[in-house]
Amino acid sequence: MNAPLVEVRGLTKHFTRGGGLFQKGTVVKAVDGVSFSIDEGETFGLVGESGSGKSTTGRCMLRLVEPTSGEVRYAGEDVLAFSSSRMRAARRHMQMIFQDPYSSLNPRMKARDIVDEPLIIHKLGSKRERGDRVAELFRLVGLDPAHLDRYPHEFSGGQRQRIGLARALALEPKFIIADEPVSALDVSIQAQVVNLLMDLQERLQLTYLFIAHDLRLVRHICRRVAVMYLGRIVEMGDTEAIFANPAHPYTRALLSAIPVTDPDAPRQRIDLDPASVSRDAALVEVAPGHLAAVQ
Amino acid sequence: MAADVLLSVQGLTTVFDVGATPLVAVNDVSFDIRKGETLGLVGESGSGKSVTAYSLLRLVQPPGRIAGGRVVFQGRDLLTLPEKEMCGVRGAGIGLVFQEPMAALNPVMRVGRQIGESLVVHGLASSREARDRAIELLRAVKIVDPETRVDDYPHQLSGGMRQRVMLAVALACKPPLVIADEPTTALDVTVQAQILDLLREMKNTFDLSLLLITHDLGVIAEVADRVAVMYAGRIVEEGPVRTIFRAPAHPYTRGLLASIPHGRTGERLVAIDGVVPNLAHLPPGCAFAPRCASRLADCERAVPPEVRLADDHRARCVLHAATGAGADR
Ligand SMILES: Nc1ncnc2c1ncn2[C@@H]1O[C@H](COP(=O)(O)OP(=O)(O)OP(=O)(O)O)[C@@H](O)[C@H]1O
Ligand SMILES: Nc1ncnc2c1ncn2[C@@H]1O[C@H](COP(=O)(O)OP(=O)(O)O)[C@@H](O)[C@H]1O
Ligand code: SF4
Ligand SMILES: [Mg+2]
Ligand SMILES: [Mg+2]
């Protein structure tokens, strides 16, 4: 068996919020001792409610924010020890698709130039080749190349999200942290993009960390998944095993929130009682390869 | 028009005057919403859902303009109402909940004042009463500790709480109709589930009619009584939620249903191939034809007529032209 491509051990990120001259700020433990590993070619899912620390975990792995402590290894190398120039070079292989493309799209640039920009920066292809590639990327994400010369405001919200995705895919990175790459897309187009992500994975041996809210989607794409709650992983294992036998109360609540597409099916929401979650419970094996933070 | 119809939209057409020929973003759209009923409006982004919502409230900004149709609300055509009366309808008659609560809420005004303001504007409360009403409304939308939260600014609230505040603003004047444009799209699943539960509950307590706009049929199944499916500016199918889920007639509706992830790990999702058409270059016949696996030669000749498949079920597709009871208009 291969060594994992990506290994994260005890990753921790504390933010200090508020505070000032005479007052100590409160410490937010956004990520609190998170460990997991991802094999080459695998898609590993990270799910959890808003604010549970998913994006911060991803950002720490690429050092878009500096972790407070912990270890991140990529292909055996200690990413946290990279010099800043070494890190910049590494980021071409480790790309992040961001959650919020609105702020990342320059309103004064045409869609064409937004997608073209990373190709120019990394000097990939002649002007003509780049033009073809940009049009191809546009089609891949479900956009009409006839709209290439439009500005972001001339696209609907969903269409803007696709431009951001086309831009991120331009460099064909090796390891992609996809932070809710499709949550703003139409369900029908989500399917296209997810199929596309799966195709690209097969063709180019891509490895994904897939951060998502939509468990229906995660079930399709991720062989293994980790559930985060308040900065910690509370459950981790094979996706099917977790769907079949969720062990942690938060995971159960999360699964019960999946919209039911049958108008006649009974709704059985499980509300999470925060008192039922022990902050200190360590991950224990509840079944082979299935860990949960339960007593 | 049936007596219990609250809102009747007839032949609504909204265009954008950009380029040589106007873009028809909303094309001859008709639907009714009855008292206490929830109509779900689904479609991909760019299909014209939001422009429809804005048109109903006459909030379309140039280069957009309403080019035709009637919007009959409580017996009056909103499209011919003097602007002053229309102001009364907005908020007091029809409440609006946006997709992006952060963009819709005033960042420098305490949420309590934003909720109370429309009560004061519509002469339904004094400024002093407005604060108490705001607290009541925050409690109604299940905000914990409303007495404190009433003085918060929007940025101090989570996304789910902001959406609850938006709902409180929309409900403040007890409008008989609320339009919710993708109210849960920006939220995570657990919060989405809570907001959907809340919408259902509000519908009952406030005896609301609801126009719920979304691209997620999963959301529709949870809340709507009837569903209208929009594609490239037109309603292509409309029917009771059960019919739409159990026996969808239009290939686009079928595609939307199939694309909801429901399978197991490693399985490919079922996508609708192709792209949403550019409104400036719509195909001459059925706008869905380039993406439709059931396409026939006829489809590309003329826009298919609307066919009534049952009293409460209609679709715009040639597959049903022969079987249906004939075009209704
Ligand atoms: N720059 C920052 N300064 C202070 N606190 C921060 C900062 N970035 C994130 N946080 C806090 O860290 C926690 C985790 O945030 P994070 O963005 O990782 O959540 P998430 O799981 O990605 O949520 P979502 O699903 O909403 O994207 C939150 O409490 C957040 O408010
Ligand atoms: N200000 C505008 N100028 C030109 N076209 C617009 C404008 N606003 C919306 N449109 C067009 O109208 C159509 C419908 O948009 P919209 O109602 O926002 O879609 P939806 O809400 O279904 O995603 C889209 O094709 C969009 O490009
Ligand atoms: S009219 Fe033709 S192309 Fe359009 S949806 Fe029906 S079968 Fe498909
Ligand atoms: Mg995030
Ligand atoms: Mg919209």
Side-chain angles (χ1 to χ4, degrees):
Chain A
M1 200 162 140
N2 296 345
L5 182 70
V6 180
E7 272 182 281
V8 173
R9 278 202 215 114
L11 192 68
T12 298
K13 177 66 192 179
H14 292 173
F15 291 107
T16 311
R17 270 217 282 214
L21 221 43
F22 305 107
Q23 205 189 344
K24 258 190 108 174
T26 47
V27 171
V28 180
K29 296 182 175 174
V31 179
D32 199 12
V34 160
S35 305
F36 57 87
S37 59
I38 312 176
D39 289 338
E40 189 160 356
E42 184 188 24
T43 302
F44 185 78
L46 202 53
V47 299
E49 71 181 346
S50 190
S52 58
K54 307 179 296 293
S55 298
T56 306
T57 300
R59 298 173 67 87
C60 283
M61 289 167 69
L62 294 193
R63 288 175 66 192
L64 299 173
V65 293
E66 286 300 328
T68 307
S69 61
E71 206 177 294
V72 177
R73 291 188 170 274
Y74 175 77
E77 287 186 284
D78 182 0
V79 171
L80 301 186
F82 283 174
S83 69
S84 56
S85 61
R86 176 83 181 79
M87 194 62 224
R88 258 197 308 279
R91 281 210 189 102
R92 199 191 141 190
H93 305 289
M94 309 161 71
Q95 276 279 317
M96 186 146 173
I97 303 176
F98 288 101
Q99 188 169 5
D100 175 15
Y102 297 87
S103 48
S104 61
L105 296 188
N106 183 339
R108 281 176 294 277
M109 278 168 81
K110 288 180 178 172
R112 171 194 306 285
D113 299 321
I114 291 172
V115 180
D116 196 18
E117 193 176 51
L119 298 173
I120 296 178
I121 292 173
H122 288 268
K123 301 193 175 69
L124 295 175
S126 67
K127 189 154 190 276
R128 234 198 95 151
E129 286 164 344
R130 291 200 324 266
D132 291 346
R133 175 88 179 119
V134 167
E136 181 196 330
L137 284 160
F138 233 61
R139 271 189 296 269
L140 278 179
V141 297
L143 289 168
D144 183 348
H147 298 180
L148 271 169
D149 288 312
R150 289 193 181 181
Y151 291 90
H153 76 269
E154 295 175 83
F155 293 89
S156 71
Q159 290 167 330
R160 279 200 292 261
Q161 182 94 12
R162 289 173 222 170
I163 298 173
L165 184 54
R167 180 186 158 100
L169 289 172
L171 295 177
E172 295 187 25
K174 272 224 130 329
F175 172 55
I176 297 184
I177 298 179
D179 189 355
E180 309 207 24
V182 298
S183 29
L185 298 183
D186 293 313
V187 179
S188 57
I189 302 298
Q190 275 185 5
Q192 288 183 2
V193 174
V194 165
N195 285 343
L196 165 71
L197 287 170
M198 284 159 84
D199 285 349
L200 288 171
Q201 175 165 49
E202 243 170 64
R203 273 216 313 265
L204 309 167
Q205 279 295 298
L206 290 177
T207 305
Y208 293 130
L209 174 63
F210 195 89
I211 299 174
H213 286 141
D214 190 341
L215 286 152
R216 301 174 297 184
L217 213 56
V218 165
R219 186 175 194 181
H220 260 281
I221 320 176
C222 306
R223 190 172 65 75
R224 287 190 312 134
V225 67
V227 181
M228 277 186 88
Y229 182 72
L230 298 176
R232 294 182 167 211
I233 291 180
V234 294
E235 188 153 1
M236 177 157 66
D238 286 346
T239 312
E240 287 301 335
I242 287 181
F243 265 77
N245 293 306
H248 193 272
Y250 176 68
T251 314
R252 289 196 197 123
L254 198 60
L255 287 173
S256 81
I258 297 177
V260 183
T261 36
D262 179 348
D264 292 321
R267 316 253 169 284
Q268 288 169 323
R269 296 253 203 275
I270 304 171
D271 283 328
L272 179 69
D273 171 12
S276 68
V277 182
S278 156
R279 284 280 298 157
D280 305 317
L283 283 174
V284 292
E285 196 157 51
V286 291
H290 181 171
L291 306 177
V294 289
Q295 267 102 358
Chain B
M1 194 165 79
D4 63 344
V5 170
L6 178 69
L7 175 81
S8 178
V9 179
Q10 300 156 14
L12 180 69
T13 300
T14 303
V15 302
F16 286 92
D17 293 307
V18 288
T21 46
L23 289 183
V24 188
V26 176
N27 196 342
D28 191 18
V29 159
S30 303
F31 58 82
D32 288 350
I33 301 181
R34 289 179 212 121
K35 291 200 176 75
E37 181 181 62
T38 298
L39 176 70
L41 184 61
V42 269
E44 284 166 287
S45 72
S47 58
K49 307 180 298 293
S50 296
V51 175
T52 301
Y54 284 100
S55 302
L56 299 182
L57 289 164
R58 273 174 44 195
L59 290 172
V60 181
Q61 302 295 323
R65 69 183 158 85
I66 298 172
R70 281 158 47 88
V71 176
V72 182
F73 177 68
Q74 295 181 316
R76 296 184 297 177
D77 182 2
L78 299 185
L79 299 187
T80 58
L81 221 54
E83 178 56 29
K84 200 165 158 240
E85 284 177 50
M86 194 60 213
C87 285
V89 172
R90 292 184 202 117
I94 304 178
L96 185 57
V97 178
F98 296 90
Q99 174 172 358
E100 283 295 333
M102 214 38 194
L105 292 170
N106 183 340
V108 296
M109 197 194 273
R110 296 179 198 278
V111 295
R113 268 199 63 200
Q114 306 199 40
I115 297 168
E117 201 177 38
S118 64
L119 287 166
V120 177
V121 168
H122 289 109
L124 297 172
S126 68
S127 336
R128 187 169 316 155
E129 290 160 349
R131 189 185 149 88
D132 291 338
R133 284 285 295 131
I135 294 174
E136 269 172 52
L137 281 156
L138 287 174
R139 187 171 294 122
V141 295
K142 306 264 170 64
I143 289 211
V144 181
D145 196 12
E147 289 85 358
T148 318
R149 291 298 182 177
V150 71
D151 293 320
D152 274 1
Y153 290 97
H155 72 87
Q156 293 172 286
L157 305 174
S158 72
M161 281 160 96
R162 278 185 218 127
Q163 202 52 278
R164 284 169 201 266
V165 168
M166 272 298 301
L167 196 58
V169 173
L171 292 173
C173 300
K174 296 214 162 77
L177 174 67
V178 167
I179 300 176
D181 188 358
E182 313 236 12
T184 62
T185 303
L187 304 174
D188 74 48
V189 221
T190 31
V191 183
Q192 165 171 298
Q194 290 161 8
I195 297 286
L196 291 181
D197 288 343
L198 182 65
L199 275 175
R200 255 198 304 272
E201 194 184 319
M202 293 296 111
K203 200 173 107 178
N204 297 333
T205 11
F206 288 77
D207 199 19
L208 284 181
S209 300
L210 195 59
L211 175 61
L212 177 68
I213 298 176
T214 171
H215 69 269
D216 189 344
L217 274 169
V219 167
I220 290 280
E222 298 234 327
V223 191
D225 303 304
R226 283 189 304 127
V227 181
V229 181
M230 205 164 179
Y231 192 78
R234 291 183 194 269
I235 306 265
V236 295
E237 179 162 7
E238 198 224 307
V241 68
R242 251 174 219 90
T243 310
I244 296 296
F245 278 84
R246 300 250 190 279
H250 197 283
Y252 177 59
T253 314
R254 292 181 194 152
L256 281 182
L257 280 168
S259 63
I260 299 172
H262 54 262
R264 297 185 160 249
T265 309
E267 272 175 32
R268 290 175 60 86
L269 290 158
V270 182
I272 302 177
D273 287 336
V275 298
V276 180
N278 178 347
L279 287 179
H281 304 104
L282 282 185
C286 171
F288 188 58
R291 304 171 73 183
C292 182
S294 317
R295 181 182 58 232
L296 306 168
D298 262 4
C299 303
E300 281 151 306
R301 250 171 245 145
V303 175
E306 191 165 272
V307 176
R308 217 161 253 295
L309 302 163
D311 268 357
D312 52 3
H313 188 199
R314 59 185 165 123
R316 199 183 268 283
C317 168
V318 298
L319 296 180
H320 302 283
T323 53
D328 71 331
R329 254 177 301 132

